Amino acid sequence: MKYTLTLSALAMMTSAAMANEQTIYQWPNVYQGDNTSLQQLTKSSHEYWQTVSGRELKQGVAVHVTQADHLIRVAPKARFDSGTVIKPQQLQMDKLQLRDAKTNATLALKSIAAQQQMHQAGFKDGSVAIQLKNVSAQGKPMLQSTQPLGDDDQYLVHVVEKGSPYALKAHADFRVDEQQRSLAMDLSMAQQGNASKAANNVSLRVHSPVDEQLSARYANGKVIFSQPLQHVGAAQGFYEIEADTTVNINGQQVKRTIKLPFVYSKDTITMKTAKVSALGNNRFQASVPVNVSDEGRYAIRATLQGMVAGKATKLATVEVAKEIKGVDTFNLPFDVATAATGPFKLVDVELSDHTRMLKFTPTQKFVKGPVAGF
């Protein structure tokens, strides 16, 4: 029994030692990249899309087209019902038409593309496409199918107006920090040659990294979540916001949709002041105490800075990664090719949470500790 316990204890000690081992990499040259993390995104859109039911498509769905150069794409969408995948009927081109909502007259088409043509163009989802021959500012085209479609079947209506002077522009935060229940997002409908219009009548769809739909609303330039976010980091993927808006410009209804990703972040790792020690022969070691809130694999990248000919100079860059639970210390060994003098300190520090795919750029100044021999 004692022998067994001793072997078990040795195995546990070996596992703990292996888990605590550092992976060390010194860059061949000093890292010169920008280590500031992505904080905001800017995007523009000349298109919109919406999901409609078979019932709606049979009744007629309004489409918003503002220029001759456009494409109206319609694609069947699979849906889940009680764990079963239900695929809707393929659309028949001779049963799909555009009508004027005011007069009910059938509108002339400039071109059509059936499933085979769309498949050859790279759309392998059963898409079909049509294009209006004439576009009028006063017209109100309505897409309609005379097929006996299932009422609950779903179809994607996608309108693209490449090169349009009307673009929905979004400028939004990329990170939502812990305890934050909103995300700043500025939406405006830009009109070429004229001032932008604020995007009103905004509807939102927010999807989690595991494709759950979350409830949210848009108010005062913010996306406000109705419940706390759960999925930390980008390990499972990003959250995604879809925003729809319709703006009246010169008597035309301009409709646009835009998609923006974001990540839910929390400070899973924090650090205290680093201490740099001289080991002789232009070799140094920096000790960086850290504390993690969630067990996992973490990394640090930092550059050692010292004085060369009286000028602050970046000497070498090292990355270290290890498994951490609770409180621990990164030990960064630097092998410097250039003779340098103190004071020494770490700059361009970046912490990474590999388990949750998060990066942190500490804002505190890292003051050197006592360095022997200086």
Side-chain angles (χ1 to χ4, degrees):
M1 182 64 71
K2 289 183 180 179
Y3 181 68
T4 304
L5 286 172
T6 302
L7 284 179
S8 299
L10 284 171
M12 290 174 63
M13 289 171 66
T14 303
S15 298
M18 290 177 65
N20 203 40
E21 280 185 0
Q22 294 190 148
T23 301
I24 300 169
Y25 173 73
Q26 177 159 331
W27 286 57
N29 300 299
V30 175
Y31 177 76
Q32 299 293 343
D34 180 11
N35 68 343
T36 56
S37 57
L38 180 63
Q39 297 294 331
Q40 292 183 319
L41 288 174
T42 299
K43 196 174 180 182
S44 62
S45 169
H46 293 89
E47 60 190 311
Y48 82 85
W49 54 86
Q50 68 184 99
T51 298
V52 300
S53 68
R55 181 188 295 109
E56 291 172 314
L57 199 53
K58 287 183 292 185
Q59 292 172 346
V61 177
V63 289
H64 301 271
V65 180
T66 64
Q67 64 178 29
D69 187 9
H70 68 274
L71 183 73
I72 302 169
R73 183 172 73 94
V74 191
K77 286 188 67 175
R79 61 187 172 89
F80 294 90
D81 189 356
S82 302
T84 303
V85 179
I86 299 177
K87 296 182 179 179
Q89 296 180 55
Q90 296 291 316
L91 292 165
Q92 299 174 24
M93 287 303 303
D94 60 341
K95 303 292 184 182
L96 199 62
Q97 58 188 357
L98 284 166
R99 307 181 71 84
D100 188 288
K102 292 182 179 179
T103 65
N104 204 35
T106 301
L107 300 173
L109 301 180
K110 180 180 179 180
S111 62
I112 59 174
Q115 280 94 348
Q116 185 176 359
Q117 294 166 290
M118 293 296 285
H119 190 277
Q120 291 171 347
F123 295 94
K124 300 179 181 181
D125 55 0
S127 293
V128 298
I130 55 179
Q131 189 178 38
L132 273 168
K133 186 174 183 179
N134 299 303
V135 176
S136 168
Q138 289 73 40
K140 293 186 180 296
M142 184 172 63
L143 180 69
Q144 189 174 32
S145 174
T146 58
Q147 268 183 259
L149 304 175
D151 285 350
D152 295 327
D153 285 346
Q154 294 185 335
Y155 295 86
L156 176 73
V157 177
H158 183 194
V159 179
V160 183
E161 296 191 294
K162 189 175 180 180
S164 168
Y166 309 125
L168 176 61
K169 292 193 173 182
H171 183 70
D173 287 346
F174 177 67
R175 298 167 69 99
V176 175
D177 292 327
E178 188 178 15
Q179 308 303 327
Q180 199 174 333
R181 294 288 290 271
S182 66
L183 177 145
M185 183 170 73
D186 177 61
L187 288 172
S188 62
M189 187 73 80
Q191 182 182 358
Q192 188 175 339
N194 293 286
S196 299
K197 291 176 177 277
N200 298 316
N201 303 317
V202 176
S203 63
L204 296 176
R205 294 178 295 279
V206 180
H207 303 277
S208 79
V210 294
D211 207 29
E212 298 167 334
Q213 188 155 329
L214 308 179
S215 177
R217 59 189 176 88
Y218 185 70
N220 301 318
K222 289 185 177 181
V223 177
I224 302 170
F225 307 107
S226 62
Q227 59 199 67
L229 303 178
Q230 302 293 331
H231 301 280
V232 178
Q236 293 178 301
F238 295 109
Y239 282 87
E240 185 176 68
I241 296 173
E242 280 186 76
D244 289 311
T245 187
T246 305
V247 177
N248 190 311
I249 301 178
N250 300 327
Q252 285 186 307
Q253 293 291 313
V254 181
K255 185 176 176 66
R256 294 288 183 261
T257 306
I258 204 162
K259 274 185 183 182
L260 289 168
F262 70 94
V263 65
Y264 171 51
S265 176
K266 72 173 185 177
D267 292 336
T268 53
I269 180 169
T270 55
M271 63 174 286
K272 296 183 179 179
T273 303
K275 293 184 178 180
V276 181
S277 301
L279 305 179
N281 297 322
N282 288 339
R283 294 172 60 244
F284 302 86
Q285 178 168 288
S287 299
V288 185
V290 294
N291 182 52
V292 304
S293 60
D294 299 84
E295 182 178 359
R297 187 167 181 81
Y298 291 85
I300 184 173
R301 187 190 66 223
T303 296
L304 180 67
Q305 178 179 290
M307 304 298 292
V308 176
K311 182 181 178 181
T313 303
K314 295 179 180 180
L315 304 170
T317 301
V318 166
E319 285 191 59
V320 172
K322 66 189 298 188
E323 299 285 335
I324 300 179
K325 179 180 181 180
V327 178
D328 211 321
T329 300
F330 283 117
N331 292 308
L332 285 69
F334 292 91
D335 193 347
V336 179
T338 304
T341 60
F344 293 91
K345 65 178 180 179
L346 295 185
V347 296
D348 299 338
V349 177
E350 181 182 84
L351 298 169
S352 299
D353 179 342
H354 287 176
T355 302
R356 281 152 285 275
M357 292 180 66
L358 286 170
K359 288 188 176 183
F360 307 95
T361 305
T363 56
Q364 71 183 86
K365 293 182 179 179
F366 301 99
V367 182
K368 74 173 187 68
V371 180
F374 289 84

